[in-house]
């Protein structure tokens, strides 16, 4: 007999189990925590050396064992302390593409009590200038492109640089000259509430905010993902679909919270192979999945679409995949169906997290996901979720409102922005800015971003619902729905759609398609067919404000 979700959760969190829970006071708020969590990332990083010659990182033709990785981490940590004078609490920035050195840098920085600052590799010189000054970075670890782009800023602010994969390194010190593999790891005491990371939020307007996480916050999020996996194994005890060892493929940037915590850190903590992509390319991803026998694919929905739409999909063996999913945006039900059909041995899944939650939130997978394809799933015991009205009052089950989170995995605030912190974190609860609801089984449904909801003649139109209807059309590859100003209605519903390769679509055809599925007021009155991919930020989210500005500029 299959265990219920609550029954399985009770077993894995019981006294004496790995995920045993307890209560703790964090910054004046009582929350549920995993009792057996390591106090900091330093202890997790230290376990890697014991894994010896097992392969940890694969990048192109490079294969790094855990021992090689640990030697590099210790060498960089020693250099940061002894050569550059980095002390606990100093900010050390990382600015580079997805390289093995990114992982080494993160592990070394957090192991000596410094704060790892993740810089968006897509940023311009001006954006890098803002973030480096805002966080007060002492040193930047970068590839050549980011080192060159930040040279003027670093000279102005007196920031040192360590440059990776550049034999000349004219804009800083060479990695090979700085890192002595196997040097002694400096002895530093790190507490659970010490700051560990600053990740800049990917806002589409204004300057980004530096979200600050403590060691406890990241470790608790990491164990949250592990707890959810343990629950699924207990509920579905069937043997694995293949003999392949667990291996993840990294298809999102490491500077994004998804790439950093649930993907990279999960592999580091559990001793799993991590296959690193230099940049997203569906054909290359298919090659690597086959070559490295990848079992876990965690991306954004558009990357799942890209895999399935690849003309070379059938040419590659993807039978090693056991879990295919991700987050970053709601997945249309049609995508869930196609994933189930095309990855018959894999369990489809999705998660709902954000930078401010260390990517951790409700998760949905397997049979639950098939039965509830529009839900992001349910929470584990350390996570409390409420849906509240504009006044901050909890709403009854099933009613729509803003989703609020509470738990030990939340950021402690925004770097040097107390007002912004107080606006988002209220009495220990984090306001997500997302509109959604919770059903009577605890399944969470994210309807839309609050600011992206279209208010049409007094009626709320949830863009995710309209997008899901558009994606049910077999010739739609990408779709984005948003509101544009309207003199009489206040806002009208607009959409931009990219057809599948070789397909032909018209606005009237799509309006009729949506009209068969949704109420008339939800049918987009403006549909623009485009021939290029829709613009996205580094975390894979479509830049709806940019699309809105494009459309309004034409009218």
């Amino acid at each position: 007999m299959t265990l219920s979700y609550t029954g399985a959760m009770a077993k894995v969190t019981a006294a004496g189990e790995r995920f045993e829970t307890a209560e703790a006071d964090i910054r004046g708020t009582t929350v549920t925590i995993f009792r057996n969590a390591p106090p900091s990332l330093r202890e997790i990083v230290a376990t890697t050396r014991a894994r010896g010659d097992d392969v940890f990182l694969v990048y192109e033709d490079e294969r790094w064992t855990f021992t090689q990785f640990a030697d590099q981490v210790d060498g960089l940590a020693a250099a940061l302390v002894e050569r550059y004078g980095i002390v606990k609490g100093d900010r050390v920035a990382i600015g580079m593409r997805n390289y093995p050195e990114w992982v080494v840098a993160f592990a070394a920085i957090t192991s000596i009590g410094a704060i790892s600052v993740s810089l968006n590799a897509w940023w311009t010189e001006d954006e890098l200038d803002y973030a480096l000054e805002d966080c007060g970075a002492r040193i930047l670890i970068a590839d050549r492109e980011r080192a060159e782009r930040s040279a003027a800023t670093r000279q102005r602010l007196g920031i040192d640089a360590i440059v990776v994969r550049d034999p000349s390194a004219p804009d800083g010190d060479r990695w090979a000259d700085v890192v002595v593999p196997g040097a002694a790891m400096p002895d530093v005491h790190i507490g659970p509430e010490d700051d560990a990371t600053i990740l800049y939020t990917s806002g589409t307007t204004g300057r980004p905010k530096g979200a600050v996480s403590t060691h406890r916050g990241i470790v608790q999020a990491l164990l949250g993902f592990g707890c959810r996996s343990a629950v699924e194994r207990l509920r579905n005890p069937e043997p694995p679909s293949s003999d392949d060892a667990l291996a993840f493929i990294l298809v999102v940037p490491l500077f994004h919270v998804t790439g950093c915590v649930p993907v990279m850190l999960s592999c580091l903590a559990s001793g799993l192979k991590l296959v690193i992509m230099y940049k997203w390319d569906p054909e290359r991803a298919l090659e690597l999945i086959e070559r490295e026998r990848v079992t876990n694919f965690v991306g954004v929905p558009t990357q799942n679409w890209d895999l399935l739409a690849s003309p070379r999909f059938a040419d590659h063996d993807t039978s090693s995949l056991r879990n295919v999913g991700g987050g970053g945006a709601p997945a249309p039900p049609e995508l869930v169906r196609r994933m189930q059909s095309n990855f018959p041995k894999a369990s489809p899944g999705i998660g709902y997290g954000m930078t401010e939650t260390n990517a951790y939130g409700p998760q949905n997978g397997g049979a639950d996901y098939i039965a509830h394809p529009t839900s992001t799933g349910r929470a584990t015991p350390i996570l409390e979720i409420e849906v509240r009205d504009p006044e901050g009052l909890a709403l009854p089950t099933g009613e729509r409102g803003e989703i609020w989170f509470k738990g030990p995995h939340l950021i402690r605030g925004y770097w040097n922005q107390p007002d912004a912190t107080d606006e988002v974190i209220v009495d220990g609860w984090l306001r997500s800015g997302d509109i959604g609801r919770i059903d009577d089984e605890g399944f969470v449904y994210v309807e839309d971003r609050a600011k992206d909801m279209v208010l049409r003649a007094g009626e709320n139109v949830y863009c995710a619902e309209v997008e899901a209807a558009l994606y049910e059309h077999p010739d739609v590859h990408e779709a984005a729905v948003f509101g544009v100003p309207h003199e009489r209605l206040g806002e009208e519903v607009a959409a931009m759609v990219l057809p599948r390769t070789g397909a032909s679509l018209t606005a009237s055809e799509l309006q009729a398609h949506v009209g068969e599925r949704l109420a008339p007021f939800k049918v987009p009155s403006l549909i623009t067919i485009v021939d290029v991919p829709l613009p996205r930020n580094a975390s894979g989210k479509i830049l709806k404000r940019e699309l809105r500005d494009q459309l309004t500029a034409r009218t």
Side-chain angles (χ1 to χ4, degrees):
M1 180 177 179
T2 302
L3 273 176
S4 68
Y5 183 80
T6 54
M9 189 65 68
K11 279 184 174 293
V12 301
T13 59
E17 297 294 329
R18 179 187 177 192
F19 298 105
E20 177 184 353
T21 57
E23 287 193 344
D25 182 275
I26 299 179
R27 296 183 291 278
T29 300
T30 300
V31 297
T32 301
I33 64 169
F34 293 114
R35 182 191 295 274
N36 301 319
S40 76
L41 291 168
R42 179 184 172 96
E43 285 76 19
I44 293 176
V45 172
T47 65
T48 58
R49 184 172 295 281
R51 302 188 186 279
D53 292 334
D54 290 348
V55 174
F56 176 29
L57 303 175
V58 175
Y59 174 73
E60 297 298 335
D61 294 325
E62 301 175 24
R63 308 182 81 79
W64 293 44
T65 67
F66 280 96
T67 295
Q68 290 170 324
F69 170 77
D71 285 345
Q72 291 283 318
V73 170
D74 291 353
L76 177 58
L80 290 173
V81 172
E82 297 165 10
R83 178 169 178 152
Y84 298 98
I86 297 299
V87 299
K88 185 176 176 180
D90 281 347
R91 276 75 65 203
V92 179
I94 307 174
M96 67 178 86
R97 291 266 197 168
N98 281 0
Y99 289 126
E101 289 86 351
W102 201 108
V103 186
V104 172
F106 180 92
I109 294 164
T110 55
S111 291
I112 60 172
I115 302 172
S116 174
V117 182
S118 300
L119 302 181
N120 189 318
W122 293 6
W123 275 346
T124 63
E125 180 179 350
D126 176 67
E127 291 168 317
L128 288 171
D129 181 270
Y130 169 78
L132 287 169
E133 183 169 8
D134 178 66
C135 73
R138 284 279 312 279
I139 190 169
L140 169 66
I141 304 173
D143 56 20
R144 181 170 185 169
E145 186 176 352
R146 260 49 63 174
E148 292 176 346
R149 200 178 297 171
S150 64
T153 296
R154 289 189 288 106
Q155 183 176 8
R156 178 174 66 85
L157 299 175
I159 299 173
D160 290 315
I162 301 173
V163 185
V164 307
R165 297 181 180 258
D166 186 354
S168 58
D171 294 301
D173 299 328
R174 292 194 319 153
W175 177 280
D177 294 336
V178 168
V179 177
V180 178
M185 168 67 73
D187 185 15
V188 180
H189 173 73
I190 303 172
E193 285 304 298
D194 288 332
D195 291 340
T197 61
I198 297 176
L199 276 72
Y200 281 90
T201 57
S202 55
T204 55
T205 60
R207 292 293 194 182
K209 300 186 292 292
V212 185
S213 289
T214 63
H215 283 265
R216 191 204 308 265
I218 299 169
V219 171
Q220 289 288 328
L222 195 56
L223 265 68
F225 289 112
C227 178
R228 186 64 169 77
S229 296
V231 167
E232 286 308 301
R233 288 193 298 271
L234 199 58
R235 295 184 70 201
N236 302 283
E238 295 85 1
S241 57
S242 74
D243 294 327
D244 297 299
L246 291 179
F248 280 69
I249 185 168
L250 181 68
V251 300
V252 292
L254 280 163
F255 59 75
H256 179 245
V257 69
T258 300
C260 183
V261 180
V263 179
M264 182 272 283
L265 279 175
S266 288
C267 290
L268 187 153
S270 300
L272 309 180
K273 181 169 69 174
L274 177 62
V275 182
I276 299 175
M277 292 194 71
Y278 176 73
K279 65 177 181 179
W280 171 246
D281 177 81
E283 282 69 42
R284 180 59 173 159
L286 289 167
E287 292 173 5
L288 291 170
I289 289 168
E290 179 176 12
R291 188 186 85 180
E292 299 295 334
R293 305 302 296 168
V294 169
T295 61
N296 291 60
F297 181 101
V298 179
V300 295
T302 188
Q303 290 172 316
N304 292 310
W305 281 120
D306 288 347
L307 278 185
L308 297 173
S310 169
R312 297 183 57 197
F313 179 82
D315 298 335
H316 291 281
D317 179 7
T318 58
S319 63
S320 60
L321 288 171
R322 301 183 197 174
N323 293 279
V324 179
E334 178 61 21
L335 175 58
V336 181
R337 288 190 288 269
R338 293 189 189 184
M339 289 164 59
Q340 183 186 25
S341 174
N342 287 277
F343 301 112
K345 295 183 179 180
S347 173
I350 195 168
Y352 169 38
M354 51 204 299
T355 301
E356 288 84 351
T357 68
N358 279 296
Y360 178 67
Q363 295 171 269
N364 199 1
D368 281 348
Y369 197 16
I370 302 302
H372 305 269
T374 59
S375 171
T376 60
R378 294 178 280 194
T380 54
I382 68 164
L383 171 61
E384 294 182 57
I385 307 175
E386 288 186 356
V387 173
R388 300 188 181 186
D389 65 16
E391 284 70 46
L393 300 176
L395 291 168
T397 299
E399 290 199 19
R400 287 188 175 102
E402 184 178 5
I403 299 170
W404 292 50
F405 293 116
K406 180 184 175 185
H409 62 296
L410 304 180
I411 63 169
R412 71 157 179 82
Y414 296 112
W415 185 257
N416 289 336
Q417 295 199 41
D419 291 342
T421 299
D422 291 342
E423 183 179 342
V424 172
I425 301 177
V426 181
D427 297 329
W429 287 82
L430 184 136
R431 303 183 58 175
S432 72
D434 289 326
I435 298 296
R437 59 186 172 87
I438 305 174
D439 70 15
D440 54 8
E441 294 181 88
F443 283 93
V444 179
Y445 297 80
V446 183
E447 316 276 32
D448 215 334
R449 289 291 298 172
K451 63 183 179 182
D452 285 339
M453 183 185 70
V454 181
L455 186 59
R456 182 189 181 279
E459 294 284 350
N460 294 338
V461 179
Y462 296 92
C463 300
E465 183 181 21
V466 183
E467 288 166 353
L470 285 167
Y471 275 117
E472 289 181 12
H473 194 289
D475 291 331
V476 170
H477 181 61
E478 286 189 323
V481 175
F482 48 92
V484 294
H486 188 278
E487 186 174 291
R488 183 173 63 85
L489 301 173
E491 285 186 304
E492 60 182 329
V493 183
M496 283 199 181
V497 174
L498 173 67
R500 296 192 178 279
T501 302
S504 178
L505 285 172
T506 65
S508 58
E509 177 185 357
L510 290 172
Q511 287 168 331
H513 171 82
V514 175
E516 292 173 358
R517 290 158 174 78
L518 302 176
F521 72 87
K522 298 180 180 179
V523 176
S525 51
L526 297 172
I527 296 182
T528 303
I529 309 297
V530 298
D531 56 6
V532 295
L534 301 181
R536 297 175 181 271
N537 64 14
S539 61
K541 295 179 182 177
I542 293 175
L543 300 174
K544 292 188 178 182
R545 184 174 295 276
E546 184 174 318
L547 296 179
R548 184 183 297 114
D549 292 343
Q550 290 177 12
L551 189 59
T552 54
R554 299 174 189 168
T555 57

